[in-house]
């Protein structure tokens, strides 16, 4: 039994975010529903969907989208077009319009936070204030685009005169936000990168990745260490991954989405089954304050 309020925390991770669909499917099929959803980057995308429709059926739609032409179009431009855009702008390879069209079609172009079925917040990094910013009102699609504006891939998103970049820069797995908002049971839908060993960079393109991973993992570890007594946190398993997922070009590879979804669903179902057995053995009550990744 989960103590309420229940929060789903969906972290960033690009194409690895497909694992969150499997995790969501396992949670919702088990009867675990959120009172609050918080997300960053791709976690904001998946999180907005489940906040709009917190039923297991939404995971079927998400699974379809992750393998759809619409999803492929987000980063699917030819090398010539990407190089041409970077030459013109000097800042980014891709247009944000394919992602906006997808979100407008699925979530509704004019939908605002107050119209969602479940309370939802998403994180972005403010350029002008050099600060973490939490969107919790206004148009949902604008907020999700701001949270997902990956530096170098997409341009900064402008919302109400302020420019934002990907929320993963400041808070990639926002466990602390769920705690601040009063959650008593937190399910962490992370994509698996925090579990992989880090090594010193050997190539130029590895330097930024390693630096970002240090920042991401440091913040996550700090938030986990600061979880107060009485709050149960479950870090859901992904079911495994590949070093290839962290290559510089992995962000465009969504061909493995179905496999990632299936592995994460099976692993999360097993994790939840073990937690249920533990609770039954203890005579019910809330789950333990921890999990496995």
């Amino acid at each position: 039994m989960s103590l309420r309020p229940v929060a789903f925390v969906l972290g960033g991770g690009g194409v690895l975010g497909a694992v969150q669909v499997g995790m969501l499917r396992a949670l919702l099929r088990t009867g675990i529903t959120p009172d609050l959803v918080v997300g960053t980057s791709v976690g904001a995308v998946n999180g907005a969907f489940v906040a709009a429709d917190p039923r297991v059926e939404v995971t079927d739609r998400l699974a379809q989208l992750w393998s759809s032409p619409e999803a492929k179009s987000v980063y699917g431009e030819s090398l010539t077009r990407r190089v041409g855009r970077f030459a013109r702008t000097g800042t980014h390879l891709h247009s944000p319009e394919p992602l906006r069209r997808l979100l407008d079609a699925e979530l509704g172009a004019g939908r605002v936070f107050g119209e969602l079925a479940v309370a939802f917040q998403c994180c972005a990094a403010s350029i002008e204030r050099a600060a973490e910013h939490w969107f919790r009102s206004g148009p949902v699609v604008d907020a999700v685009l701001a949270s997902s504006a990956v530096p170098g891939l997409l341009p900064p998103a402008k919302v109400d005169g302020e420019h934002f970049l990907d929320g993963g820069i400041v808070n990639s797995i926002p466990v602390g936000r769920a705690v601040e908002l009063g959650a008593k049971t937190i399910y962490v839908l992370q994509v698996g990168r925090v579990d992989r060993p880090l090594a010193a960079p050997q190539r130029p393109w590895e330097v930024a990745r390693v630096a970002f991973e240090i920042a991401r993992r440091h913040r996550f570890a700090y938030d986990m260490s600061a979880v107060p007594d009485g709050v149960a946190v479950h870090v859901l398993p992904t079911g495994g991954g590949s070093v290839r997922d962290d290559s510089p070009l992995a962000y465009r590879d969504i061909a493995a989405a179905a496999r990632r979804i299936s592995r994460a669903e099976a692993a999360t179902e097993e994790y939840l089954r073990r937690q249920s057995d533990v609770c039954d053995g203890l005579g019910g009550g809330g789950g333990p304050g921890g999990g496995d990744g």
Side-chain angles (χ1 to χ4, degrees), residues 11-28:
V15 292
L16 300 185
V19 303
Q20 294 172 347
V21 180
M23 295 170 177
L24 288 168
R25 183 175 283 164
L27 287 166
L28 296 172

Side-chain angles (χ1 to χ4, degrees), residues 6-261:
V6 172
F8 288 2
V9 173
L10 292 90
V15 292
L16 300 185
V19 303
Q20 294 172 347
V21 180
M23 295 170 177
L24 288 168
R25 183 175 283 164
L27 287 166
L28 296 172
R29 277 186 177 163
T30 306
I32 300 170
T33 57
D35 302 297
L36 166 70
V37 178
V38 294
T40 296
S41 196
V42 72
V45 176
N46 290 329
F49 274 78
V50 75
D53 183 11
R55 302 175 303 149
V56 71
E57 287 81 4
V58 76
T59 63
D60 296 332
R61 181 57 185 149
L62 276 169
Q64 292 171 359
L65 280 172
W66 268 94
S67 299
S68 69
E70 291 86 356
K72 293 176 182 176
S73 73
V74 173
Y75 293 129
E77 291 180 311
S78 68
L79 178 61
T80 300
R81 289 181 66 87
R82 280 179 279 145
V83 171
R85 179 172 288 105
F86 189 79
R88 291 192 305 273
T89 66
T91 59
H92 58 278
L93 293 169
H94 297 278
S95 166
E97 290 310 308
L99 180 56
R100 178 178 286 279
R101 286 194 296 269
L102 185 155
L103 294 173
D104 281 346
E106 296 295 328
L107 297 174
R111 197 168 200 171
V112 297
F113 279 73
E115 295 172 341
L116 298 173
V118 172
F120 172 63
Q121 295 189 11
C122 64
C123 178
S126 166
I127 293 177
E128 285 84 358
R129 291 182 289 116
E132 179 177 322
H133 178 84
W134 282 93
F135 286 96
R136 52 192 175 186
S137 62
V140 174
V141 170
D142 287 351
V144 172
L145 286 171
S147 184
S148 308
V150 182
L153 298 184
L154 295 171
K158 188 175 182 180
V159 181
D160 294 333
E162 191 170 359
H163 295 86
F164 297 93
L165 286 172
D166 191 290
I169 297 171
V170 288
N171 200 341
S172 185
I173 310 174
V175 173
R177 184 65 173 181
V179 172
E180 290 174 13
L181 294 172
K184 294 302 182 184
T185 303
I186 300 172
Y187 292 94
V188 181
L189 290 75
Q190 52 88 36
V191 303
R193 283 190 175 133
V194 294
D195 305 321
R196 298 176 193 167
L198 275 182
Q202 302 296 318
R203 301 173 181 85
W205 57 84
E206 294 177 347
V207 175
R209 179 183 66 80
V210 171
F212 180 70
E213 280 302 319
I214 292 170
R216 179 209 303 267
R217 297 178 193 202
H218 174 78
R219 175 65 184 267
F220 179 57
Y222 176 83
D223 280 358
M224 290 293 287
S225 70
V227 172
D229 293 340
V231 177
V233 181
H234 300 274
V235 182
L236 300 181
T238 65
S242 166
V243 174
R244 182 174 178 272
D245 291 331
D246 289 329
S247 76
L249 297 178
Y251 79 93
R252 300 182 70 237
D253 180 15
I254 66 170
R259 294 193 299 275
R260 291 178 180 131
I261 292 170

